[in-house]
Amino acid sequence: MQYLIRRLLWAIPTLFAISVLNFGLIHLAPGGPTAVYGTSPNVSPKELEAIETRLGLRDPLPVQYIKWLRGMVVGDWGISYKYMIPASQVVLQRSWNTLQLMVVTLIISLLVSVPFGVLSATSKHKSVQYASSVVSMLGISIPTFWLGIMILLAFSVSLRIIPSGGMGSIGKEFNLMDWLHHIIAPAIVLATLRIAGWSRYVRSSMLDVMGQDFVRTARGKGLADSTVLYRHQLKNALIPLITLIGLEAGLLLGGAMITEVVFSWPGVGRLMEESLKGRDYPVLMGAFMMMAVMVVIGNMLADMGYAAVDPRVRLEAGPQGT
Amino acid sequence: MAQRDLAGTLNPGAGATGVADVVMPPPVKRGADFWRRFRYNRLAVIGLFIMVAVTFMALAAPILAPHDPDEVSYNILQPPSAEHLLGTDDSGRDVLSRLIYASRVSLAVGVTVSLATVLLGTAIGALAGAYGGMTDTWLSGLINVMLSIPTIPLAMVLGAFLSKDVIFIVGILFIVSWTATARIIRAEFITLRERDYVLAARAIGASQARLILKHMLPNSMPLIIVSVTLGVASAILAESALSYLGYGIQPPTPSWGNMLQNAQTYLRQAPLLAIWPGALIALTVIGINFVGDGLRDALDPRLKYQR
Amino acid sequence: MNKVVLRVTIVLAIVGLFAAACAPAAQPPAPAATAVQTAPTAAVQPTTAPDTSATTAPARGPKPGGQVVVGHGQEPDRFWQPFSGLTVSHELGNAMNLPLLQINDKLEFIPRLLTEVPTTENGLISADGLSITFPLRDDVMWHDGEPFTSADVKFTADVMMMEGTDVTGRTGWDKIVAVETPDEHTAIFKFSEIDAPFLSRLSLVSMLPEHILKDKTAEEINKDPWFRAPVGTGPFMFKEWVPGDHVTLVKNPNYFEEGKPYLDTLIWKIVPDSNALVNQVQTGDVDVALRVSDTDAVTVKGFGNVGLVSSSTVSPWLIWVQNEIPGLKDKAVRQSLSYALDRKGIAEQLLKGLMQPAEGWLPSDSWAYNPEALQMPFDIDKANQLLDEAGWVKGADGIREKDGVKLSFKISNIAGQQQRIQILTQVIAGWKKIGVDAQIDLVDVGTLFGDMLPNHNFQMAYSYSGLTADPDMSVMFFCPENDPGGNYGNYCNPKVDEFLKAQLGTFDLAKRKEALSQAQALIAEDVPYLYLGWRADHTAVNNRVKGYLPAPGYIELWNALDWYVEE
């Protein structure tokens, strides 16, 4: 508990550092929010200058940062330059869409990668090991956009069994089946990449744990193979997986951009890409800070996960193990 | 229960592990023994063969390539023919020659980023995980901060001041990807820290540096190897994502990543354009992973009795 | 002379502009590969659509009801043209809320909220050109039932010039000295000086409802929810906007044209990936896909259930050139770059006729086109000779140099659009033959349009120039001290400025033509920019949708009220 409080307190300076860094980066990037008018020949430099002045973009960067920070502290993320509504509203709505996609993705990834990894580590058959290696490697070598388009061509255009994109049928009320129907393909595409990596880590940890003393001891004591597998090996093999899920929680928001584009999923990854192109600073900062908060929380949860899985883990161990 | 094995686990990295491994080869023969074990794994040998072949392709590109990879013509998007074995791309350039030349950039990016990432990631992760306490708090803070840096704005800012060459790409990918390895290794070290042999070694007065280098690090080798092998694939693919946004390898220099990216436009008209670089990436990644698996199995003596 | 019919002049100008873009003489022989085809009289003929009966007489006639889904990659921002730089906002803004007049498929002005389009002939444009009278329809209602009156017109003009709003594109409006409203259905604009392209500008500004937005400050107007859910005068009403997904418009039952619109629902679906958009066109999830790329147009042509309507625009692809930097400062260098540009080869062989070559900002049969202006056909020898004469000699690396300046340049180009890279790769290969080195520098949209172009911070840059129905493009050529928005290349030739100003200040067609011809001759010789070809506009239309007409004047939904579906 004390550990938790300390970690939470530490999160404040961490987030502060992240905000300074992010703010600097996106404001130093060449171009500005008036880029969207650049294609029209009839817009004069004076008009663009006036807009920049009104948005406060002509102030010195530290001044802009302090203004932003002051707002952020009281929950005011600023007004989106593009939509002229609060940035929080824009970001949260899109984040919710991405969250749905990511939760389904994580469930699929876990359901597939853990058995896959265990199988390839414990199977007595060489062929199973080989096959699982090759399949998982293919998964990580296929670029997301390619897999996405191919799935759409095969199952949407040719077979017509999945919709061609979007979160739901336009004009219909929300219903669960419709939602599942729409979410399944992008979630599978997103899961493919994770399954590949995760099952490798599971396999490796399984092999590692299998060689360890307590497992051999347990076996030596005559415990059944399946008991050993589940009670001892798997639990310990989960540690890298917990880390990966913790990482995923943090990167959740930005990680799905290409899939969101291919499947017309109105998520936050796409919003971030558009906002980046249009230099919509308040939306960008909001989204990046949300990402940072989730990184910190994800990390914290992962740490607590280690202790939960392996009671020997003491998070506050000092240099001498005290 | 673990106490009984204490003696046997004192120095796991050097090979003397559990009671079951009674017959350990003497250290002198270790190299030969390693190769024997590696060779035993047929997939690892295939992987090694693939890696040698791809490396040879990269080194001998000027000899192997049938055409100048930058020779432009109006003879575009041609299917495979005798003149162009894999056809031509959207600028009439020979796809085979471009694939061969692209292996240079892609391998360089993949391998460099992956190794650099794992080196730094392991170092930081090991320190944080092994020391814990304030060291961990600070390093975890650093990892969190780095993890929260958005890649594309970073590339934009740096790209405005630096030339977007291979080193630039490697740098960007390195900055944003070492953190994941660091966190995985940190987690591993947090659990290793409490293992019996580490506790025992600590009890008999081993220094922290010795604990890390001799006890914990060798035991996390399997994870590190997986990180390296997975890292190669993700670096090669990340380069293609960067080129989608303009911060990857700049045209006309080919890389598997940007060839794949560019083929996206012609998925309907010339689907093969995406297949070739994709297949090469897959092949390379599979090769590296097989070698990785072989290495981890050969390096881990405890596994022997299972076979 | 000043009795020249304005409407006719503009129409002539515009039709000329447009038709020239598709000059039949330049057609490559292979008809299958030719998407841009034009009949000499009408602007555009659909090429592959087996059944686009709407352009001819429909057999059964329009049936009311039904839904059409329009697919496009963009997410809207605010539905009022001066507040937005996005096509999607302009399109939907027009469908929900009308400007006084619009431009049709033949590039003619058609009255929307007016009973008549002002011309010098009908006297609504005064003899001195300084006063334009707009006779408003008396049967127009806002979607909330309030009548549309001249007060709304005046209010819109006021907002256009209000300090502190996000309005862009005030050019022309800044010459209005007063808007008089003698009665509810007449608005008179008074100008300080003649602005010949004003009606064309007016067609891109929808009217604002005074009764909803009056008495608000500039800051309040910027943030007003009306701009996200407009209560307009258009044939369609706003229903919902699901961010990132779609915008739904429904029929305005009280629309002033009897029986229109035919459709009950018009959905704008946001499909960001072009491959996905093509898929959705094929599956029928999207009925009308706007502005599909040349590459995708080829794919769409193969679909049985879909017709492709292709037209050439008056918006040229060009390589912006920084006229003030060493090397490119030399006119001979710019000329030789132009000679070494294989426009014809790129248009016909690389793009299979989907693009028509361009040498200047006016197409060859525009009324304002000057055939005497210098032409620069592909000629490597000529280019080499020019560079030799100017003293640029090849160094050891094969790149020409003079006084320590190398002819080596970066062409900045938007990332993620392969066709642009494809074209530039050919351009660069051509230049290599004359000892000029060029590299593509990929940048993101925000960098190119937000920094490099407006700040003149580039060597060369590839994009297309904006589209206007009027032949006036002076903002690209006025000397920097005259504060143009579009002269990214710092080009300056005071003589050109004189001619350009002269043509802006008169409604007299002959005078405008004379001045524009002079300007063209000078510009063609100076080569401030390297023009490549005319941008083509492709629309995929499902066969069930009837009544679609192309929109060379930019707004594709201009006749959405005439669309109907036939199952």
Side-chain angles (χ1 to χ4, degrees):
Chain A
M1 197 57 213
Q2 201 191 353
Y3 172 77
L4 192 68
I5 292 168
R6 223 180 62 198
R7 285 295 294 269
L8 280 173
L9 284 178
W10 263 98
I12 295 168
T14 308
L15 289 174
F16 178 76
I18 293 171
S19 73
V20 173
L21 218 70
N22 283 348
F23 196 89
L25 272 182
I26 64 176
H27 282 79
L28 288 176
T34 51
V36 70
Y37 305 109
T39 43
S40 165
N42 286 324
V43 178
S44 75
K46 257 188 287 179
E47 288 172 335
L48 299 184
E49 207 179 302
I51 290 177
E52 282 180 5
T53 309
R54 194 160 52 258
L55 296 177
L57 295 169
R58 301 245 153 177
D59 296 340
L61 213 47
V63 175
Q64 293 184 46
Y65 175 74
I66 288 167
K67 267 190 202 161
W68 173 84
L69 188 65
R70 211 186 285 152
M72 204 67 179
V73 168
V74 295
D76 171 13
W77 299 21
I79 301 287
S80 159
Y81 299 160
K82 176 174 175 182
Y83 302 102
M84 280 318 234
I85 53 174
S88 50
Q89 194 183 326
V90 180
V91 174
L92 291 176
Q93 186 173 23
R94 297 290 203 98
S95 302
W96 170 236
N97 297 344
T98 299
L99 190 70
Q100 300 172 24
L101 186 56
M102 287 318 251
V103 167
V104 177
T105 302
L106 287 187
I107 292 173
I108 297 178
S109 308
L110 276 178
L111 285 181
V112 180
S113 63
V114 173
F116 218 72
V118 170
L119 199 67
S120 80
T122 57
S123 171
K124 305 257 185 321
H125 301 284
K126 271 262 163 68
S127 53
V128 175
Q129 295 184 15
Y130 291 172
S132 61
S133 282
V134 174
V135 170
S136 62
M137 277 311 101
L138 280 178
I140 204 167
S141 314
I142 297 176
T144 315
F145 76 81
W146 193 84
L147 184 63
I149 300 277
M150 285 303 149
I151 284 186
L152 281 177
L153 273 179
F155 296 101
S156 174
V157 177
S158 299
L159 298 173
R160 312 245 166 173
I161 51 176
I162 57 163
S164 56
M167 277 187 76
S169 306
I170 290 176
K172 282 190 195 150
E173 288 294 303
F174 175 86
N175 84 64
L176 191 67
M177 280 318 290
D178 188 53
W179 177 80
L180 273 175
H181 201 198
H182 280 84
I183 206 169
I184 191 75
I188 286 177
V189 168
L190 282 171
T192 306
L193 189 75
R194 284 161 184 77
I195 288 168
W198 292 12
S199 61
R200 303 301 289 168
Y201 281 112
V202 172
R203 172 183 184 268
S204 178
S205 302
M206 283 295 291
L207 288 176
D208 191 32
V209 176
M210 273 156 65
Q212 265 171 33
D213 319 316
F214 68 93
V215 172
R216 267 179 283 157
T217 312
R219 256 185 221 193
K221 284 199 299 196
L223 287 178
D225 262 11
S226 60
T227 321
V228 176
L229 176 68
Y230 295 113
R231 195 175 299 160
H232 297 282
Q233 289 176 224
L234 196 53
K235 244 167 74 174
N236 281 276
L238 281 179
I239 293 219
L241 206 56
I242 292 172
T243 314
L244 287 166
I245 297 171
L247 274 174
E248 208 61 58
L251 303 178
L252 192 108
L253 289 179
M257 192 262 279
I258 291 173
T259 309
E260 287 176 359
V261 168
V262 170
F263 288 93
S264 314
W265 193 266
V268 75
R270 255 172 68 193
L271 176 73
M272 275 156 91
E273 194 218 357
E274 283 161 19
S275 307
L276 204 53
K277 281 183 177 165
R279 305 289 192 273
D280 194 341
Y281 299 142
V283 169
L284 279 178
M285 277 311 285
F288 286 148
M289 286 319 289
M290 223 168 94
M291 220 166 99
V293 168
M294 296 184 74
V295 163
V296 172
I297 292 177
N299 196 355
M300 218 185 291
L301 290 178
D303 276 1
M304 293 193 295
Y306 308 148
V309 180
D310 186 348
R312 291 177 299 180
V313 168
R314 287 169 304 137
L315 292 164
E316 296 204 78
Q320 297 312 315
T322 49
Chain B
M1 68 171 178
Q3 293 300 321
R4 271 192 294 152
D5 296 328
L6 203 68
T9 54
L10 262 182
N11 200 352
T17 30
V19 276
D21 282 328
V22 204
V23 226
M24 273 310 292
V28 203
K29 284 191 190 161
R30 208 172 139 70
D33 181 54
F34 169 78
W35 176 239
R36 185 176 56 73
R37 278 196 253 192
F38 185 84
R39 224 178 30 189
Y40 175 77
N41 185 337
R42 219 171 307 151
L43 281 187
V45 178
I46 296 175
L48 191 64
F49 178 75
I50 295 175
M51 278 179 70
V52 170
V54 173
T55 313
F56 175 74
M57 182 161 95
L59 293 176
I63 304 164
L64 292 175
H67 292 269
D68 176 351
D70 292 330
E71 190 191 315
V72 169
S73 82
Y74 286 135
N75 199 18
I76 60 166
L77 298 176
Q78 294 297 307
S81 64
E83 171 68 9
H84 299 285
L85 287 176
L86 300 183
T88 60
D89 72 358
D90 63 342
S91 293
R93 297 171 295 202
D94 183 56
V95 171
L96 177 60
S97 307
R98 287 183 76 70
L99 280 174
I100 293 173
Y101 271 91
S103 61
R104 298 183 150 192
V105 173
S106 292
L107 282 190
V109 170
V111 173
T112 321
V113 170
S114 171
L115 286 179
T117 292
V118 168
L119 277 182
L120 184 70
T122 304
I124 303 272
L127 289 177
Y131 281 87
M134 283 311 277
T135 316
D136 184 22
T137 308
W138 277 100
L139 290 179
S140 290
L142 175 70
I143 294 173
N144 279 341
V145 171
M146 296 303 285
L147 206 53
S148 305
I149 292 185
T151 314
I152 301 302
L154 179 74
M156 277 179 179
V157 173
L158 296 180
F161 303 107
L162 306 169
S163 72
K164 288 175 257 178
D165 51 15
V166 180
I167 298 170
F168 172 81
I169 319 290
V170 169
I172 298 277
L173 292 178
F174 169 66
I175 292 175
V176 297
S177 56
W178 65 268
T179 44
T181 313
R183 285 193 46 184
I184 288 165
I185 299 299
R186 171 178 168 272
E188 176 78 352
F189 270 63
I190 286 178
T191 60
L192 288 178
R193 198 166 68 196
E194 310 301 334
R195 291 277 161 83
D196 314 315
Y197 54 84
V198 176
L199 293 175
R202 184 174 283 139
I204 60 169
S207 70
Q208 188 74 10
R210 188 179 167 80
L211 281 175
I212 293 177
L213 291 175
K214 287 278 174 188
H215 299 266
M216 287 145 95
L217 199 57
N219 271 287
S220 35
M221 266 336 262
L223 267 188
I224 295 175
I225 290 171
V226 173
S227 289
V228 175
T229 52
L230 290 174
V232 175
S234 32
I236 290 178
L237 289 176
E239 189 268 306
S240 89
L242 276 184
S243 48
Y244 173 66
L245 293 149
Y247 298 94
I249 302 292
Q250 300 289 301
T253 308
S255 75
W256 291 339
N258 68 20
M259 289 178 79
L260 197 58
Q261 187 60 54
N262 301 345
Q264 186 176 0
T265 313
Y266 308 103
L267 273 186
R268 293 271 194 149
Q269 289 157 49
L272 283 177
L273 274 186
I275 303 282
W276 304 126
L280 272 177
I281 294 175
L283 196 68
T284 309
V285 170
I286 287 172
I288 290 175
N289 277 277
F290 284 170
V291 172
D293 283 359
L295 277 180
R296 88 163 289 296
D297 293 356
L299 285 174
D300 191 346
R302 293 173 308 199
L303 280 180
K304 222 174 35 165
Y305 80 109
Q306 297 208 340
R307 299 212 186 270
Chain C
M1 281 281 258
N2 49 18
K3 290 287 178 193
V4 174
V5 185
L6 177 76
R7 176 170 165 174
V8 173
T9 64
I10 300 264
V11 167
L12 275 179
I14 285 164
V15 169
L17 266 174
F18 177 69
C22 329
Q27 288 296 326
T34 310
V36 183
Q37 293 176 344
T38 42
T41 47
V44 168
Q45 290 286 313
T47 50
T48 53
D51 182 21
T52 34
S53 45
T55 42
T56 59
R60 274 168 290 175
K63 230 176 21 192
Q67 160 179 313
V68 163
V69 178
V70 176
H72 190 260
Q74 283 178 353
E75 165 91 6
D77 47 8
R78 279 177 287 173
F79 297 113
W80 191 50
Q81 302 90 343
F83 272 6
S84 174
L86 296 175
T87 301
V88 47
S89 303
H90 298 174
E91 294 282 358
L92 291 175
N94 267 269
M96 292 186 274
N97 191 22
L98 291 167
L100 292 178
L101 43 81
Q102 281 185 320
I103 294 173
N104 71 4
D105 57 320
K106 300 184 184 66
L107 283 168
E108 299 157 338
F109 288 124
I110 47 170
R112 282 298 191 204
L113 301 176
L114 304 177
T115 55
E116 205 177 351
V117 174
T119 61
T120 39
E121 187 190 51
N122 64 18
L124 294 175
I125 296 181
S126 68
D128 61 2
L130 293 177
S131 165
I132 305 181
T133 304
F134 296 97
L136 308 180
R137 291 182 72 114
D138 56 7
D139 54 354
V140 181
M141 300 281 185
W142 294 99
H143 294 162
D144 61 4
E146 290 285 318
F148 165 77
T149 68
S150 56
D152 296 313
V153 180
K154 182 173 168 35
F155 178 73
T156 307
D158 289 346
V159 173
M160 281 302 287
M161 290 313 294
M162 191 189 270
E163 281 296 315
T165 59
D166 289 339
V167 170
T168 53
R170 290 191 171 101
T171 316
W173 294 84
D174 53 6
K175 292 176 185 142
I176 298 175
V177 284
V179 177
E180 290 168 7
T181 51
D183 63 66
E184 283 210 333
H185 304 297
T186 309
I188 304 169
F189 284 32
K190 301 277 186 191
F191 293 85
S192 59
E193 54 183 294
I194 292 176
D195 181 43
F198 186 75
L199 288 189
S200 158
R201 307 188 203 282
L202 197 62
S203 72
L204 282 177
V205 178
S206 294
M207 292 294 114
L208 297 177
E210 191 205 20
H211 68 282
I212 294 176
L213 295 171
K214 70 178 169 200
D215 299 334
K216 296 202 173 176
T217 64
E219 195 56 24
E220 283 164 352
I221 287 181
N222 286 342
K223 290 179 189 164
D224 198 278
W226 184 89
F227 293 94
R228 294 172 49 79
V231 172
T233 53
F236 292 96
M237 303 193 297
F238 178 85
K239 186 178 172 214
E240 75 167 343
W241 173 2
V242 178
D245 202 61
H246 68 272
V247 178
T248 306
L249 310 187
V250 291
K251 175 182 180 148
N252 172 7
N254 302 319
Y255 187 64
F256 53 83
E257 283 180 59
E258 196 52 41
K260 290 185 182 177
Y262 300 126
L263 297 177
D264 284 341
T265 318
L266 184 73
I267 291 173
W268 183 282
K269 195 170 174 190
I270 300 155
V271 185
D273 181 68
S274 64
N275 279 307
L277 184 59
V278 169
N279 286 349
Q280 302 204 7
V281 167
Q282 193 175 11
T283 57
D285 290 331
V286 161
D287 297 307
V288 178
L290 299 181
R291 297 187 173 84
V292 300
S293 73
D294 290 348
T295 319
D296 292 336
V298 174
T299 309
V300 167
K301 267 164 96 176
F303 298 160
N305 60 336
V306 182
L308 182 73
V309 183
S310 298
S311 58
S312 192
T313 65
V314 289
S315 151
W317 288 105
L318 78 161
I319 297 171
W320 301 90
V321 174
Q322 196 51 257
N323 286 256
E324 285 301 311
I325 59 172
L328 293 174
K329 206 152 75 176
D330 186 342
K331 196 202 283 183
V333 170
R334 299 198 302 267
Q335 286 183 347
S336 54
L337 289 176
S338 181
Y339 277 114
L341 205 57
D342 186 8
R343 300 177 174 88
K344 206 165 166 242
I346 289 172
E348 290 174 10
Q349 302 200 51
L350 193 69
L351 301 177
K352 313 292 183 206
L354 288 172
M355 180 167 100
Q356 298 297 320
E359 279 218 37
W361 88 97
L362 288 179
S364 60
D365 58 357
S366 158
W367 63 272
Y369 179 74
N370 178 2
E372 308 292 309
L374 191 57
Q375 299 278 326
M376 298 190 176
F378 185 51
D379 189 344
I380 293 287
D381 296 337
K382 173 89 177 174
N384 271 318
Q385 184 198 335
L386 277 171
L387 288 172
D388 289 342
E389 282 167 6
W392 295 93
V393 286
K394 281 189 185 170
D397 50 2
I399 301 171
R400 287 179 189 266
E401 53 182 280
K402 179 173 138 184
D403 307 331
V405 177
K406 273 199 170 199
L407 292 186
S408 174
F409 309 105
K410 266 188 185 172
I411 311 178
S412 299
N413 177 45
I414 291 174
Q417 296 199 21
Q418 184 55 20
Q419 195 180 55
R420 299 183 186 211
I421 298 177
Q422 185 192 16
I423 291 171
L424 287 179
T425 305
Q426 298 287 348
V427 169
I428 289 170
W431 287 352
K432 205 174 161 193
K433 294 182 193 152
I434 60 167
V436 175
D437 171 58
Q439 314 104 38
I440 299 174
D441 173 41
L442 294 179
V443 292
D444 83 305
V445 184
T447 305
L448 188 68
F449 290 110
D451 174 46
M452 295 183 137
L453 291 177
N455 296 337
H456 312 280
N457 179 20
F458 65 96
Q459 297 176 330
M460 294 190 193
Y462 185 61
S463 91
Y464 55 85
S465 80
L467 181 150
T468 60
D470 192 274
D472 171 55
M473 258 303 192
S474 40
V475 283
M476 281 174 67
F477 303 106
F478 273 150
C479 286
E481 59 267 27
N482 288 331
D483 188 29
N487 185 357
Y488 301 137
N490 280 326
Y491 170 65
C492 184
N493 183 340
K495 273 192 192 154
V496 169
D497 281 25
E498 275 175 37
F499 290 122
L500 289 176
K501 276 183 198 153
Q503 61 86 24
L504 270 178
T506 175
F507 281 109
D508 184 329
L509 181 66
K511 280 185 188 162
R512 285 194 78 189
K513 177 179 168 138
E514 173 58 22
L516 281 165
S517 295
Q518 299 279 7
Q520 278 171 81
L522 292 170
I523 289 169
E525 213 196 311
D526 287 344
V527 201
Y529 307 115
L530 298 162
Y531 287 90
L532 241 140
W534 298 104
R535 195 165 62 86
D537 202 354
H538 310 286
T539 309
V541 185
N542 194 298
N543 292 343
R544 66 185 275 273
V545 178
K546 311 292 173 188
Y548 172 83
L549 287 177
Y554 177 49
I555 297 294
E556 298 266 356
L557 299 186
W558 71 272
N559 81 327
L561 74 171
D562 295 324
W563 297 2
Y564 60 98
V565 290
E566 222 165 61
E567 302 298 343

